[in-house]
Amino acid sequence: MKPQVEYSLYLVTDSTEALLGDRDLVEVVEQALLGGVTIVQYRDKTSDTGDLVATATALHEKCKLHNIPLVINDRVDVALAVGCEGVHLGQDDMDVASARAILGPDRIIGATVSSIEEARKAVERGADYLGIGTLYATNTKKNTKDIIGINGIRKILKYLDDADEPSQKVKTVCIGGVNASNLQRVLYQLYAPSSLSKPKTIDGVAVVSAIIGVRDPRTAASHLRSLIASPHPFAATPQPTLDASKLDDSTLKQSVIRAVKAVHETSPLSHNMTNLVVQNISANIALAIGASPIMSNNGAEAPDLAKLGGGLVINMGTVTPEALSNHRKAIEAYNAAGGPVVLDPVGAGATSARKEALTFLLASGYFDLIKGNEREIMAVARASGFTLDDTTQQRGVDSGTSLFSTPQKAYIVSRIALRERTIVLMTGAVDLISNGTHTLAIANGHPYLGMVTGSGCSLGTTISAYLAANKEGKFLAAVAGLLHYEIAAEDAAKREDVRGPGTFIPAFIDELYLRRVDVVEGRKAWVDRVKVEVVEPIGDFGLLREA
Ligand SMILES: *[C@@H]1O[C@H](CO)[C@@H](O)[C@H](O)[C@H]1NC(C)=O
Ligand SMILES: *[C@@H]1O[C@H](CO)[C@@H](O)[C@H](O)[C@H]1NC(C)=O
Ligand SMILES: *[C@@H]1O[C@H](CO)[C@@H](O)[C@H](O)[C@H]1NC(C)=O
Ligand SMILES: CC(=O)N[C@H]1CO[C@H](CO)[C@@H](O)[C@@H]1O
């Protein structure tokens, strides 16, 4: 009978000097077994057959003690000689069907795949599991042509989800550069992008250096195991599920009122990593809506700040290597603490440095919300792995005229949101906000907002405070923050003392404060002025192609 296999923490060995040093592989694997790896693949591309059989036999002894299956990379003969549980086959190794013919039905056969076609063939030929990758570039695998990233893996999962029953049942592990810092986000984002309620997800992660290459493999393995077993902190709070049809006026208005009050009552910390140009207005706006602003561009301080329960805004105003490294540290700290992180990719796409910075940030951690104007969001789409029909270059921070209609924008934000498993807000005369399944068009706001430096950044600050104070309903919280902001802008612009963008700013800060006080004191009339429409259903405009 075929053994039942738990794929969640899949160890691939490496006997090279660079990772193993002068340690003994069998001892290192034994430590990993004690730490809790759930399956072991012995991978050694250089040793002679005699040595392979000897090492594999010793490894098999250890694995048996822990009741953990051992598979041999490439060498069907070695697996037979040792009598272990199976083999793992790369694309250059024996094909799955031939190996199955030799090994019979009860052994485990896994296959490395990096495309839909390879996945299709491996399943058809009888593979039990697929090792899908390469996820990220690593030192252990020099061949970088197969780096397919999160999105490439998700495409394969989606194919398997949509295909026949054997494809739906085949087990999957991802491989390539997974370590303690990215593991939980990888698990969260690796699911077949579909609006189904239970899409196919990855069954496990394969690791090499994160266990073999560290001084204490046992502790490393047990840490990874506990990360797999515990809920991802950034997505730990269950979100309500709501039919798109239930997103009616009164639900919305009630949620706005609740969210404004929650910010007022909890006064969440809004930690922004932003440039000097906008600090004054940002801080004043945060105070006006009831948040506690704090500025720290020092990544080393982030872990302590993250524990205070607030939200983080990453503003891509500066993209020096130093700023980016501080950003990454802060993102990791907030992800670990479960604090919301808002990404404001200012000017993304305008220069190649900004494009690279955006790609770097998206790979650095999980964002609860990504906001930007149309061009910035199109840059996010590219960085997320979509191919765009539009090839226009972004010229600067100014958004310029729109290239897309409202339904097209709704389609764009919903696709990115589904793919990144986040909330995407595209600002403009009509704002579009989506979490992948629900998309709203919001027509509040005033043109003065677009004429004030820092107003976009302050919106990020506002939304981060709303997310921090309303963790149990992030989508509607973000909508509430946006509405509070834009209705206050409308009220400020109407005032007699406001004659242009200059006099607008202080009035805007007043009105933000006053709208909050209104709600707290029971005056809710302003909430009736929301101009929100549910966009549904969203057509496929073919503007974004899966790369
Ligand atoms: C984890 O992997 C990522 C991507 O390969 C890398 O950038 C990061 O530095 C690694 N972190 C640790 C702690 O090794
Ligand atoms: C989007 O938000 C709505 C409203 O809160 C919720 O019902 C739905 O499940 C969310 N969708 C996703 C993919 O989180
Ligand atoms: C900060 O902003 C406020 C409100 O807009 C303004 O009155 C004040 O002069 C600004 N301070 C500085 C130092 O720019
Ligand atoms: C709202 C907020 O947190 N504002 C801060 C943003 O960062 C600047 C410095 O870059 C601080 O001075 C603000 O207080």
Side-chain angles (χ1 to χ4, degrees):
M1 226 183 59
K2 197 172 286 195
Q4 281 294 316
V5 184
E6 227 286 274
Y7 286 94
S8 63
L9 185 55
Y10 183 129
L11 174 67
V12 182
T13 71
D14 186 305
S15 308
T16 58
E17 169 94 45
L19 282 192
L20 193 59
D22 55 9
R23 294 172 304 168
D24 174 49
L25 181 68
V26 180
E27 276 166 27
V28 169
V29 170
E30 182 171 28
Q31 290 302 310
L33 287 164
L34 288 166
V37 300
T38 61
I39 169 170
V40 177
Q41 177 193 139
Y42 174 39
R43 183 170 189 274
D44 183 340
K45 291 287 193 191
T46 52
S47 295
D48 297 334
T49 305
D51 290 341
L52 283 177
V53 172
T55 308
T57 305
L59 289 174
H60 196 213
E61 287 306 313
K62 300 291 182 199
C63 287
K64 277 194 292 195
L65 286 177
H66 294 268
N67 216 0
I68 294 297
L70 174 73
V71 299
I72 311 290
N73 181 282
D74 179 7
R75 299 289 296 268
V76 175
D77 55 339
V78 174
L80 278 174
V82 174
C84 66
E85 287 67 33
V87 292
H88 181 88
L89 304 169
Q91 285 297 318
D92 301 329
D93 304 337
M94 181 187 286
D95 76 88
V96 172
S98 312
R100 181 62 77 203
I102 298 172
L103 292 172
D106 294 343
R107 308 281 178 127
I108 304 161
I109 301 184
T112 300
V113 303
S114 51
S115 68
I116 287 177
E117 186 51 22
E118 288 171 2
R120 188 187 64 73
K121 276 197 192 133
V123 173
E124 192 181 279
R125 292 174 179 170
D128 296 296
Y129 76 90
L130 307 178
I132 313 179
T134 302
L135 180 54
Y136 301 119
T138 61
N139 296 329
T140 34
K141 253 197 150 178
K142 295 277 178 269
N143 186 354
T144 52
K145 84 169 178 8
D146 293 331
I147 294 170
I148 57 174
I150 293 270
N151 294 316
I153 297 182
R154 279 211 306 227
K155 258 166 59 182
I156 296 174
L157 290 172
K158 174 149 176 55
Y159 159 77
L160 295 170
D161 216 11
D162 293 342
D164 55 3
E165 202 188 326
S167 306
Q168 286 157 6
K169 285 205 171 133
V170 75
K171 297 292 178 184
T172 54
V173 298
C174 65
I175 182 153
V178 178
N179 58 31
S181 36
N182 57 28
L183 183 140
Q184 289 193 315
R185 175 179 57 89
V186 163
L187 286 179
Y188 181 66
Q189 289 187 326
L190 273 186
Y191 73 117
S194 92
S195 40
L196 298 178
S197 58
K198 254 188 131 5
K200 191 171 178 72
T201 56
I202 205 90
D203 296 297
V205 293
V207 298
V208 190
S209 7
I211 292 180
I212 302 284
V214 300
R215 216 175 316 133
D216 183 352
R218 178 175 180 169
T219 306
S222 98
H223 181 44
L224 292 169
R225 253 317 267 281
S226 71
L227 287 173
I228 292 168
S230 45
H232 327 315
F234 47 83
T237 315
Q239 299 293 301
T241 51
L242 205 66
D243 285 347
S245 58
K246 294 257 175 56
L247 212 50
D248 55 21
D249 231 38
S250 90
T251 307
L252 242 159
K253 287 173 184 166
Q254 280 163 22
S255 84
V256 172
I257 291 164
R258 242 196 336 267
V260 173
K261 276 189 187 153
V263 174
H264 174 82
E265 278 155 19
T266 56
S267 191
L269 197 75
S270 176
H271 174 185
N272 75 110
M273 300 186 90
T274 185
N275 52 10
L276 295 171
V277 186
V278 303
Q279 50 178 268
N280 182 15
I281 178 170
S282 247
N284 286 327
I285 285 177
L287 289 167
I289 63 156
S292 319
I294 184 156
M295 128 74 197
S296 164
N297 284 334
N298 179 0
E301 217 177 26
D304 287 336
L305 293 174
K307 290 189 192 115
L308 302 176
L312 171 71
V313 184
I314 297 290
N315 178 299
M316 238 179 56
T318 32
V319 292
T320 59
E322 196 204 346
L324 288 175
S325 132
N326 278 315
H327 288 346
R328 166 173 278 184
K329 284 185 201 139
I331 297 165
E332 282 176 0
Y334 276 79
N335 278 178
V341 186
V342 171
L343 175 64
D344 190 349
V346 180
T351 63
S352 53
R354 272 165 201 279
K355 277 181 208 153
E356 277 167 32
L358 181 57
T359 308
F360 173 89
L361 289 174
L362 286 178
S364 294
Y366 175 73
F367 294 98
D368 296 79
L369 184 138
I370 302 174
K371 69 157 280 277
N373 60 34
E374 180 179 313
R375 282 159 191 271
E376 289 160 353
I377 294 300
M378 294 317 279
V380 171
R382 277 194 204 90
S384 161
F386 285 108
T387 319
L388 311 191
D389 283 352
D390 147 52
T391 49
T392 48
Q393 288 289 313
Q394 166 150 359
R395 281 156 305 157
V397 178
D398 293 344
S399 44
T401 47
S402 177
L403 294 167
F404 306 110
S405 67
T406 298
Q408 286 175 323
K409 289 179 187 170
Y411 155 85
I412 291 165
V413 293
S414 67
R415 288 292 300 278
I416 304 171
L418 198 57
R419 183 161 186 148
E420 291 293 324
R421 216 168 177 188
T422 185
I423 301 169
V424 177
L425 165 61
M426 186 194 281
T427 55
V430 173
D431 308 301
L432 278 307
I433 185 166
S434 179
N435 65 358
T437 54
H438 291 56
T439 306
L440 301 175
I442 299 178
N444 291 97
H446 192 276
Y448 284 164
L449 277 177
M451 300 175 194
V452 178
T453 306
S455 68
C457 305
S458 313
L459 175 58
T461 305
T462 302
I463 290 177
S464 83
Y466 268 80
L467 294 175
N470 298 279
K471 291 208 177 78
E472 65 302 323
K474 289 183 197 165
F475 181 61
L476 291 178
V479 171
L482 180 64
L483 287 168
H484 181 177
Y485 198 81
E486 296 197 323
I487 288 177
E490 290 171 3
D491 294 340
K494 272 195 299 230
R495 272 168 46 164
E496 275 185 6
D497 55 336
V498 172
R499 304 206 310 282
T503 41
F504 169 75
I505 301 172
F508 177 44
I509 294 173
D510 287 351
E511 298 301 323
L512 277 169
Y513 167 75
L514 292 170
R515 292 302 77 75
R516 160 162 71 106
V517 173
D518 281 348
V519 167
V520 172
E521 293 178 355
R523 294 183 298 274
K524 297 164 187 168
W526 69 264
V527 178
D528 290 332
R529 286 188 279 133
V530 303
K531 296 181 202 153
V532 180
E533 263 178 51
V534 179
V535 190
E536 201 208 18
I538 296 177
D540 184 347
F541 293 93
L543 293 165
L544 301 180
R545 277 171 286 120
E546 302 278 345

